[in-house]
Structure formats: C-alpha cells, structure tokens
Amino acid sequence: MASMTEIGTQYDPAATESATYREWEEAGVFTADLRRSRRSGGDREPFVIVMPPPNVTAVLHMGHGLNNTVQDVIVRWRRMRGDEALWVPGTDHAGIATQNVIEKQLASEGKTRFDIGREAFVARTTEFVGETGGTILEQLRALGASCDWNRTAYTLSPELSRAVREAFVQLYERGLVYRGHRVIHWCSRCLTSLSDEEAEHAEEPGNLYHVRYRVIAPAGTTGPDWITVATTRPETMLGDVAIAVHPDDERYRTVIGGKALLPIANVEIPIIADAEGVDPAFGTGALKITPAHDANDFEIGRRHNLPMPVILSPEGRMDNGAEADHRVPSSLLGLDRFEAREKVVEMLRELGQLEKVEPHSHAVRHCYRCDTVVEPRLSDQWFVRIKPLAEPALAAVRERRIRLLPERWEAAYINWMEGIRDWNISRQLWWGHRIPVWYCDACGEVIASREDMESCTKCGGPVRQDDDVLDTWFSSWLWPFSTLGWPDRTSDLASFYPTDDLVTAPEILFLWVSRMIMGGFAFMGEAPFHTVYLHGTVRDLEHVKMSKSLGNGIDPLDVIALYGADALRYTVISGLGMGADLMLDPNDLEKSFAPGRNFATKLWNIGRFLLSNVGTGTVKSVAALDPGTLARTDRWILHCLNEAISECDAALGPARPQGGVWKANELRAGLRLGEYVESARRFVWNELADWYVEAVKLRLAGSGEDREVARAVLVHVFGAALRLLHPVVPFITETLWRRLPLEADDATPGFIATAAWPAIDPAHGEEREFELVREAINAIRQLRAEYAISPGDQITAQLLPDAGGATADGSAILIEETQLIQRLARCEMVKMSGESAAAEGDGKGALILLGNGSRLFVPLSGVIDIDRECAKATTELAKLDKQLASLTARLANPGFTGRAPAEVIESERQKEQEWTRRRGQLAEKVRALCGS
RNA sequence: GGGCGAGUAGCUCAGUUGGUUAGAGCGCCUGCCUUACACGCAGGAUGUCGGGGGUUCGAGUCCCUCCUCGCCCACCA
C-alpha cells in the first residue's frame, strides 16, 4: 500500500503503464482457466472473443488501435462481471501481403522470387516472420490489451496448418471442394488468381470502342457486309472465337450462322445466337466472344462448345497461349496489355475498322493487395462448393442466432449470402498452406490427404504435390475453433467454443466474417459467435481513410508516449457511435487526445484529494452505516451512482442471447460503448467531482461521526467509479485502485481488473432535496454572472415558504447546506419563516421557480432588470398557453378521443395536468415580476 | 444499374415513442491561479436541425420529393 505522500501531483502514464501491464501479466489476470468455464463443470459463464489476427508483418496503426480497444473494453467488462473471459490473440500469415513484402526486398536486390526458387523463398520469408513477426502483438500490450498470451495463435503454425489440412480434406471428402476449369480473376502483378471478394470494383473512366468485323455471309444469303461490336478491352479481340447476337434481334437475323473475319488475327469466327448472354439493347447488340478472358463469354463459349484461346501471358502481356495458335501477330507479342490496347486500336484505325470511340465509365476490378487491374483469365483452380455451406449461415442470421451490429449490415450479409458463388481457394503463390493434394502421373490418381504423400495409394508410383497454396482466408475462416485446438477435441475447444462477440471492420465482412460463420457450421456444426460488431474506419478530418502510404496516419505508439494509453482508449471509445467512423486529426494530436488525458488527470486529482483528506486508514463499509447518519449529499451521490451503474449496464447491454436466440427487444441492445463511457464520465466529473467532492470538503475537515460517514461514502463511490471506468481507462484506474483505502468488510484488495463490477444498491433512492439545492445554486450563479456581481459581494437568497413545494420543510435544506452553498456560490441563504414574504417586500429581485414548486427569491435592488425578467417570463407563459390550448382542444375533440388508443389518451391527459401545473407556476412568476 | 447510410453550433457527434428554452466534447468569449485539479472552476454566445412540399393543434423527429456526400453490391460487353 502506497502512502498518500507517494502520489505525485501529476499523473505520469509513461512511468506507470508498462509496469502495471507487467504486473497483470505476471499475475495471470488475463489467463483464462478452462476449468472455471461452465461448459467444463466450472461456475462461470465463458466469454470469448477471438482477435481478428493482424498480418504477421503488420505494425500497429490506428485501425488496430480502434479494433483492439473495442475488444478490450468488452473483455474487461465481462471479466469484471464474473465471466471466465478469454481473448485469443494471434497473427495471420497473410499470403499475398507477406509474399509482396519479401518480393519487394528481393526486388531491391535486383532479384525475383524465381531467381532464388521456392524453397529458399519460403525459408527466407519464414525467417523474416520469425524475426520481425509478432511485433504488433508486443505493441498491443502498450495499448493495454488484456489478451491471453498463452494462447497466442498463428495461422501458419504447425497446429493451425493441421487444422487447414483437415478442413480441406473434409470438404474434399464431402464433395464440397473441387478442381474447376474456368475464368477467374487474375492479378498479373501478384501472379495469382483471386477470389471474387479479393477483386474490388472501382468505377473508372474508359472508352467503348466500336469495331467493325467483315461478315462472311452464309452461302446464298444477303445481308450486311459488316457487323460492329462494342468493347472496352479491344486487345482481347485477338482471343475472340465468335460474335454473339440475340436470337430475336432483327438487325442480325440474316447473319446468324454465318461467319465474320476477326481483324488483325485474320481468323474466321462464327456468328452465333445466344439469348442468355446478350443484351440487344447494349452497344450495338453484337457481342464479341472471348471465352478465355471474360467470365460471361466463357459461359457462352461453353454453351456453344467454342475453343478458348488464351492470348495474354500470366504477366498480362500479349501472348499466344493455349489454343491461341498464331492469333497474336509478332508485332504485338510481349506487349503489355495496356500498350497493346493502344496498338490494337491504332491498327484497327488504319484498317478502317474502328468505327468510333466513345467515353464509357465502367467498373474495373483491382487486386485488393496491390491495386493492379485484374484480368479475367481461364485457368484451373480449386473451388469450394459454397451453397451448401451458406445455407446454415444464412439461416442463423435470419433466425436471430447471430446478430450483426449495426443492423444495416444484416441486409448486406443476407444479400451476399443469397447470391454467393463458389469460392476460388487456390493461389499461385509460395507463401501459405500448400494444397494437400497429390497427383500420380502414372495412373492419374488424385489424392487429398491429411498426411504428406510419398507414393500413389493406387499404383504405388511417385506422386507430386499440387504447387498452389490456399487462399489466406482459408486458414482464417477456421480461426474461432482452430485457435482452440481443433481438429482435436481439446478441453479448450469444449470450454470456450462457440465464442461470443466478433469485433471487426466492415471491409472484411465477406472476406472473413461470413466465411467464419460458414466454417463454424461446416466443421463445428455451430455458429462461431452470436454477435458481430462492425465498427467504423479511422479517417482524417477530410474523411480520408488513414493509411501510412497516404501519410495521414497517426502512430498509436506516439499517442501513447505523449498522452498515455488511457487517453488513446478514451478518445477512441468516447466518440464512438454504433458503426460510425472515427475522425482524428493527424496534424493536431492535442485536439484529438487531450480530452482523454484531461479526463485521466481529473481522476488523478480526485484521487489526490481523497487520499489527502480521507487518509489511508480503513473506512466503514457503506452497507454497514446507519442510514440515519447519511447526509443529504451522501444519499444524493449514492443515488447518482445507482443511476450511473444502470446507464452503463444499459449501454453495454446483454452479453449473450438467452437460449441461443436473440429476443426482439435485446437484438439491437448493448455495445454502445460511447454511451457507456459518457455515462461514467458524467458521473465522475459532473456529479462526483463537481458537487459531491465540494460538498464533502467541510465534513472531511471536521471530525466525529459525520466525518467517518463522509470518508466511507467518498471511498465507496470513488471505488465504484473506478471500477465502472476500468474497461476504458485500465491503467490509471488500476493505479488509483491500489492506493484507495479499504472498505472494512472488503479486505481483499487485488487487481481492479478482476474486481467485481459495481452493483445497484436499491437502498439509495432518488434524492430530490439535494437536486433542489443544486438548482438554487445554479440559479444564483447565473444571476451573479449575468449582473456581474463580484465574487466578494454576498448575495442573500431566500427560499420562500411554499405550501405547494415537494419538500415539506424547505428550511431544513438551507441549514444543512449553508456552508456548501457559501463555498460554491458565495452567497448566503437565509431561512425564511412563514410570516416573512420578501417577494412582496420591496419587490426588486429575481424570483426563481425550482423544480419541486418551491420559490427562491433573490433581492437585487437596483441591479436586476425587472422589465427584462418580466418580458422573458411573459413570453414563456404565452408559448405554454398556446401549447396547452391546443392540447386541451385535442382532448376535447371527439375525433381524437374516439379513435386514439386508451393509453395514448391517458398519457395526453397526464401531460395536460403537468402542463397546467407548470402554467400555474409561470403565471405566479409573471405576477411577481411584472407586478400585476 | 441495385441497395444502404449520412447531412443538427466553427469541428466531431447525441437527440429514445412527434410536445417545456434542440444537447455534449473540442474551439470561441467573459470572469476567476477559490490549498484535488489552469490538463482546472464558474458563466456565456453561436443552429432558417441539407432544400422544398405534406400530415398534425404542434415536426429535428412521421410521409413525399429534390440536392450533396459516403459505403456496400453488380458478368451491360
């Protein structure tokens, strides 16, 4: 126990945070004990979050800061609520991203990955990851993340690699994974295929080129000599194998069945009719068919059994690939596709076959890792047959076993799930889980295997493993259970699966979250979590997403060094609307993070006050105090605490659905972290510090029983406040907690991180009388400021006797609170007895109506502008009159009373009563001020 | 092209089922170094609640429409 003299005048986060974190870690505060989980016979509900694994090469940025702060707040809250809380940390090997990092290194050495070969490349990457990987996990500690580091996972670890193989082979055995030959998205920079979700759309200006093809009419028919097609990618025409028109299109009826001459390549191609793939209203109504380089054309090509020449190399250069023969002339061979586009257009123009070029804005897909324009390309890939997996995932959201917050994402999820297409999971990369399939060249056997294969199981011949690796998301979709030991039926898996909340950004809803839900059902038969919380994106003041490459980023470690982790966390959480983006100013850290630091300082100073005035001696427990000894301010702050707890609980919401299905009234409740923090902040600052601490000063300076009561209440209330705030500002609350004097019957200090969440004490009900005092003081402060009464001048305020007041004996308040009021407002309140009536005295002063109907009179002869007060009150009264009149009219209208539901009418009547009462008060005020 | 969200004080945002004088933080103005706190205290100013129309006694809130931004989805070449 530190003595009060040891607490510095200034809170220094840099000096305490890392030490505090070490203590937590060493004490095992974050380590979940599976034996305590109810699922394995323990007495606690498990509460589990798996961290969205950052890329193993990542360094902490504000996006991580936001994501992990949100998770930590939730986990710390549940830990204090008595759950067996587990937050599983880890990293993702991040196939393409990490491979790109190493390839860049190689490029700076003038090499490519092919120069050093696969084995050396993988070895080098492994080494790099081993040395620098996981930096981010270390950085998360600075943020205060209360992860169970004993369970740190890595998608490419031996354990998780086993899970990946198991998943692949299981799906293979169930007929849900297959080898497909079709057009996929190809990144010519990364040299790999991509899934639909990895090829991102971007609207871009481009051109629509109208190209004329000479028609070779069927024998004995007449018709147009030319047929014009429109294309945005003219270079692909070299891969054309047909021209398709709609069968009902009158313009082209006669040429169907004929042929056209493909310019440049000089190949004859058929003119075919296809109702499904051709929209007669677009362009010219004639569509060039390039099956190897367009997904739609591929389908048409397949329907019509057309050849599929490949005319682009993997690098995106013009090339005579499979089936291409000599279509690409030597003048174009090897040209980049965009150069080739220019060149082809030029050639067509020279041939006189470029009819026109018109600007055309269209969506172009880009590689999500390197932003290169992706090319549709015919190739052999592994696919997951996804529809059967999507069904339970769709049902789970529809049936409210899984909720998405904010709600609007549910529609997007359902929409995506309904239109889902097979998932391309093979990547032509080297960094990742190699596909566990072996081929026997001798007998053609294909074997998917959990174990490495040496020879063919059928013919005993040599086998070779598939060269490709799996999509990085094929390992991360297993994350909620692979991190818990699956496929082994471990105790961790039994105790902690399914998990609870999944916290991430909407960008990876389809790439990751949706697939995890499918994976959960596919391999565990159960949803992986019941809540998906999608927070916003961190942006700068121009609403541009923060990123290192744009130079508008904020380094969380800088913020932590300057303001402390608590300040960072407070800032991130306090402004956080559900699903809203977080705007921060990278050029003005002070503006963004000072409020968090200031709040920490406020807490610190309350602590300093408490320690120097309460002392470190044990205090009585509030529960053990005789209720009769509590002062009005004590009762008031204890009630405020109840309110604060209730508001925090309501904002944080239910932790889990009862019975596995979200009830309608709880479906959208909770996880409003911004509201939770605001409630706690208001309590500490505006109620505890601004009023209670002020009120308690003189009592603490005194002696005797009342001092003991004040000590007990202050310690109790501040301790509860620290606990309420701990999830957001864990470091400073822990630091203050351990210095707090103990309450008598709570002799087990321990960490605040594992202290019990405050509970409402119904013994402390509403305290209206102190509210009255606050109102009176506020009114006097306003007068003082408004009339520029100097602090030295005393104001005499008089509470008028008032039969209608809710306080039976108004004078009692004044006697008790006089000193407080003197401190706060520097005025004197004089008890008025019934016989005196100052308002009717010289009549010069302010009459203030208090909430309970009492009246406060402040004589201010010669100072107060009675006319102005009178005008204000009169206006107010007129407005209320008008409103009251319309309400009364409404209640008298049979058209309303006859139709409206009974409870509506009842509430309107109550409103009328309330307003009538208020009108009476106002009228009295007007009489007093205006003198009529 | 389809869908969704947002537009409230200079900035970032709250505003529950329509109803007293539309709120908070930061910023701004005024006065205070009141022995927990100037990273503070007290007080204050600032809003045609995106535009227009409608329902209603009454609309920031409900309906229609338009405008502006943002996001998601999409095989019109």
Side-chain angles (χ1 to χ4, degrees):
Chain A
M1 173 65 66
S3 87
M4 63 178 173
T5 52
E6 283 176 43
I7 187 161
T9 51
Q10 201 79 47
Y11 174 57
D12 182 2
T16 48
E17 286 183 352
S18 58
T20 304
Y21 195 91
R22 260 197 310 280
E23 286 176 50
W24 285 328
E25 224 182 326
E26 281 162 14
V29 165
F30 309 147
T31 308
D33 184 345
L34 59 90
R35 290 165 305 184
R36 287 200 293 241
S37 164
R38 193 179 295 285
R39 292 177 195 151
S40 40
D43 59 357
R44 296 188 185 186
E45 287 298 330
F47 184 86
V48 186
I49 289 183
V50 290
M51 174 188 294
N55 289 359
V56 67
T57 59
V59 290
L60 194 69
H61 61 234
M62 278 309 299
H64 299 120
L66 169 61
N67 178 248
N68 289 288
T69 300
V70 168
Q71 293 176 77
D72 197 45
V73 169
I74 298 170
V75 167
R76 283 181 184 271
W77 163 56
R78 290 319 304 174
R79 190 178 289 121
M80 293 177 78
R81 287 295 300 260
D83 289 348
E84 192 57 26
L86 168 60
W87 185 12
V88 181
T91 48
D92 192 309
H93 70 284
I96 306 183
T98 303
Q99 177 156 331
N100 284 353
V101 170
I102 305 300
E103 284 185 338
K104 268 189 200 136
Q105 286 183 5
L106 287 171
S108 69
E109 298 162 21
K111 285 188 271 189
T112 72
R113 67 189 223 224
F114 300 102
D115 293 329
I116 66 170
R118 182 167 192 155
E119 205 171 313
F121 182 86
V122 171
R124 178 167 174 158
T125 311
T126 305
E127 193 191 335
F128 178 78
V129 165
E131 281 168 7
T132 66
T135 300
I136 191 164
L137 299 182
E138 206 51 55
Q139 295 173 324
L140 285 174
R141 289 169 162 91
L143 194 69
S146 63
C147 309
D148 186 347
W149 300 109
N150 300 324
R151 290 178 164 91
T152 303
Y154 173 48
T155 51
L156 207 53
S157 69
E159 297 80 17
L160 271 70
S161 297
R162 206 160 74 77
V164 166
R165 267 202 189 182
E166 176 67 26
F168 183 95
V169 175
Q170 265 196 32
L171 291 178
Y172 186 86
E173 289 168 352
R174 289 155 64 182
L176 292 173
V177 69
Y178 66 94
R179 188 94 169 134
H181 181 68
R182 67 176 65 158
V183 169
I184 42 76
H185 305 291
W186 180 266
C187 177
S188 54
R189 202 222 59 85
C190 299
L191 296 180
T192 182
S193 68
L194 298 171
S195 66
D196 294 344
E197 292 71 30
E198 290 172 321
E200 297 178 335
H201 288 275
E203 194 75 16
E204 281 179 15
N207 291 318
L208 195 56
Y209 301 90
H210 291 248
V211 183
R212 295 200 297 173
Y213 289 35
R214 182 179 293 281
V215 173
I216 303 163
T221 65
T222 54
D225 292 335
W226 298 93
I227 186 163
T228 303
V229 301
T231 178
T232 54
R233 295 185 299 150
E235 71 281 7
T236 65
M237 65 178 285
L238 293 163
D240 286 4
V241 295
I243 289 174
V245 296
H246 196 275
D248 301 333
D249 194 332
E250 288 300 331
R251 291 171 294 178
Y252 302 116
R253 176 147 296 191
T254 58
V255 299
I256 293 172
K259 291 196 171 200
L261 186 66
L262 180 64
I264 300 172
N266 290 315
V267 176
E268 285 187 12
I269 55 175
I271 298 171
I272 60 173
D274 191 282
E276 214 177 308
V278 182
D279 174 5
F282 185 86
T284 63
L287 175 63
K288 66 192 258 316
I289 302 300
T290 321
H293 298 287
D294 183 284
N296 182 47
D297 293 3
F298 173 77
E299 294 302 325
I300 294 175
R302 199 144 67 168
R303 280 200 287 278
H304 297 268
N305 217 4
L306 298 168
M308 303 191 173
V310 174
I311 52 97
L312 281 172
S313 73
E315 292 80 13
R317 296 177 177 279
M318 300 305 290
D319 182 38
N320 282 311
E323 296 193 54
D325 201 12
H326 294 84
R327 286 162 158 263
V328 181
S330 52
S331 62
L332 290 172
L333 274 177
L335 275 189
D336 175 79
R337 55 201 159 134
F338 297 112
E339 291 174 52
R341 180 172 302 169
E342 303 291 319
K343 194 82 181 283
V344 166
V345 168
E346 198 45 49
M347 290 165 88
L348 288 169
R349 189 171 281 134
E350 280 168 21
L351 289 167
Q353 288 182 251
L354 184 68
E355 195 173 287
K356 63 174 172 179
V357 180
E358 51 189 24
H360 178 74
S361 161
H362 62 302
V364 177
R365 284 180 180 256
H366 295 254
C367 172
Y368 84 130
R369 296 284 19 153
C370 72
D371 208 39
T372 302
V373 173
V374 301
E375 207 63 41
R377 182 181 177 83
L378 182 63
S379 75
D380 291 308
Q381 304 290 342
W382 287 96
F383 292 88
V384 171
R385 207 180 299 285
I386 207 81
K387 278 249 148 52
L389 303 185
E391 276 166 27
L394 199 46
V397 170
R398 285 191 170 134
E399 292 162 13
R400 295 178 177 173
R401 281 175 284 130
I402 300 177
R403 63 173 180 172
L404 274 65
L405 301 174
E407 183 179 11
R408 62 177 178 273
W409 289 108
E410 281 189 7
Y413 173 92
I414 288 170
N415 184 273
W416 182 82
M417 265 305 170
E418 285 174 342
I420 198 166
R421 282 175 294 172
D422 284 358
W423 176 16
N424 171 9
I425 53 169
S426 45
R427 297 289 174 275
Q428 288 64 51
L429 304 170
W430 289 349
W431 181 242
H433 303 93
R434 199 150 164 189
I435 291 179
V437 168
W438 284 261
Y439 303 96
C440 174
D441 289 325
C443 71
E445 185 73 352
V446 176
I447 311 145
S449 168
R450 291 170 177 82
E451 306 300 330
D452 283 356
M453 301 293 295
E454 298 296 336
S455 56
C456 179
T457 47
K458 194 170 165 192
C459 73
V463 292
R464 58 179 173 84
Q465 188 174 3
D466 196 299
D467 280 330
D468 291 350
V469 300
L470 287 160
D471 182 0
T472 211
W473 302 101
F474 192 88
S475 53
S476 40
W477 78 318
L478 313 173
W479 191 247
F481 45 91
S482 64
T483 53
L484 295 174
W486 187 87
D488 294 332
R489 290 283 150 179
T490 62
S491 317
D492 256 11
L493 196 63
S495 307
F496 295 119
Y497 189 92
T499 73
D500 289 272
D501 295 351
L502 191 280
V503 179
T504 191
E507 288 110 86
I508 51 177
L509 177 58
F510 304 130
L511 281 167
W512 186 47
V513 179
S514 303
R515 287 177 181 148
M516 267 192 293
I517 296 173
M518 293 191 281
F521 284 106
F523 302 108
M524 295 295 296
E526 213 173 343
F529 31 73
H530 53 68
T531 296
V532 177
Y533 176 95
L534 296 162
H535 58 242
T537 307
V538 184
R539 301 177 186 277
D540 65 19
L541 294 186
E542 276 73 51
H543 296 193
V544 177
K545 183 175 176 173
M546 271 193 190
S547 76
K548 208 157 72 174
S549 53
L550 288 175
N552 64 345
I554 293 176
D555 185 342
L557 297 179
D558 288 349
V559 176
I560 290 171
L562 287 168
Y563 298 91
D566 286 337
L568 172 70
R569 296 166 61 105
Y570 178 87
T571 292
V572 158
I573 298 295
S574 66
L576 203 64
M578 175 71 74
D581 288 341
L582 177 66
M583 311 298 174
L584 298 172
D585 186 349
N587 299 313
D588 190 355
L589 295 184
E590 183 71 12
K591 189 180 174 192
S592 297
F593 299 102
R597 177 204 54 199
N598 295 353
F599 182 57
T601 304
K602 191 70 182 179
L603 281 174
W604 189 251
N605 281 312
I606 298 170
R608 285 179 60 213
F609 169 83
L610 185 148
L611 292 176
S612 59
N613 288 282
V614 169
T616 52
T618 305
V619 302
K620 290 182 176 174
S621 107
V622 165
L625 291 174
D626 172 3
T629 62
L630 291 175
R632 186 172 283 112
T633 43
D634 296 330
R635 297 197 300 271
W636 177 78
I637 197 67
L638 288 166
H639 177 249
C640 288
L641 173 61
N642 277 350
E643 294 279 286
I645 295 168
S646 153
E647 284 173 27
C648 290
D649 285 346
L652 288 165
R656 50 181 74 80
Q658 295 302 308
V661 178
W662 285 102
K663 292 195 199 87
N665 64 332
E666 291 187 341
L667 187 62
R668 306 296 161 201
L671 298 183
R672 290 193 296 266
L673 303 186
E675 291 179 24
Y676 143 65
V677 173
E678 175 53 22
S679 294
R681 185 206 66 83
R682 193 179 49 241
F683 172 67
V684 165
W685 201 314
N686 301 132
E687 290 165 351
L688 178 57
D690 288 351
W691 291 93
Y692 188 74
V693 166
E694 293 301 333
V696 90
K697 277 176 177 169
L698 289 170
R699 298 167 64 201
L700 289 176
S703 60
E705 175 67 9
D706 189 50
R707 177 169 193 269
E708 289 311 304
V709 172
R711 288 179 75 227
V713 174
L714 182 58
V715 170
H716 174 80
V717 168
F718 189 53
L722 290 178
R723 281 178 287 148
L724 278 182
L725 284 162
H726 178 258
V728 213
V729 282
F731 291 107
I732 191 169
T733 49
E734 189 71 80
T735 307
L736 287 169
W737 176 258
R738 67 183 50 172
R739 292 160 190 263
L740 208 60
L742 290 172
E743 292 189 52
D745 54 359
D746 182 21
T748 51
F751 290 98
I752 194 172
T754 48
W757 188 254
I760 291 171
D761 183 347
H764 308 297
E766 206 175 344
E767 208 339 285
R768 287 199 190 83
E769 293 179 0
F770 188 72
E771 293 294 348
L772 185 69
V773 172
R774 292 176 71 206
E775 261 189 279
I777 290 169
N778 283 334
I780 290 164
R781 283 173 175 172
Q782 276 175 30
L783 287 172
R784 186 178 278 287
E786 195 167 346
Y787 293 103
I789 298 160
S790 77
D793 291 340
Q794 297 281 303
I795 291 179
T796 301
Q798 303 173 333
L799 194 72
L800 302 180
D802 187 272
T807 308
D809 179 8
S811 59
I813 298 174
L814 299 179
I815 292 164
E816 183 179 316
E817 308 293 349
T818 296
Q819 289 178 310
L820 163 65
I821 290 160
Q822 281 178 329
R823 273 197 90 80
L824 293 176
R826 295 221 176 150
C827 69
E828 225 169 55
M829 292 190 81
V830 178
K831 173 188 170 191
M832 292 293 295
S833 54
E835 66 272 17
S836 172
E840 291 86 40
D842 65 1
K844 297 283 185 184
L847 184 72
I848 297 152
L849 298 178
L850 301 178
N852 72 340
S854 302
R855 302 166 302 157
L856 186 74
F857 183 73
V858 185
L860 292 166
S861 299
V863 182
I864 193 162
D865 185 344
I866 294 288
D867 291 342
R868 209 181 92 183
E869 296 299 320
C870 166
K872 263 166 68 181
T874 309
T875 311
E876 211 179 322
L877 180 63
K879 183 167 180 182
L880 184 57
D881 264 339
K882 198 179 149 199
Q883 284 175 346
L884 190 57
S886 51
L887 183 62
T888 308
R890 185 180 186 198
L891 282 166
N893 180 359
F896 170 72
T897 49
R899 286 229 295 272
E903 65 265 24
V904 170
I905 295 174
E906 181 51 31
S907 85
E908 295 291 287
R909 284 200 202 289
Q910 277 173 16
K911 213 166 4 181
E912 189 189 23
Q913 273 178 24
E914 162 93 25
W915 288 6
T916 306
R917 193 179 61 78
R918 202 189 309 142
R919 210 210 85 94
Q921 288 176 16
L922 253 180
E924 188 188 348
K925 183 171 181 177
V926 168
R927 264 198 307 281
L929 287 165
C930 311
S932 62

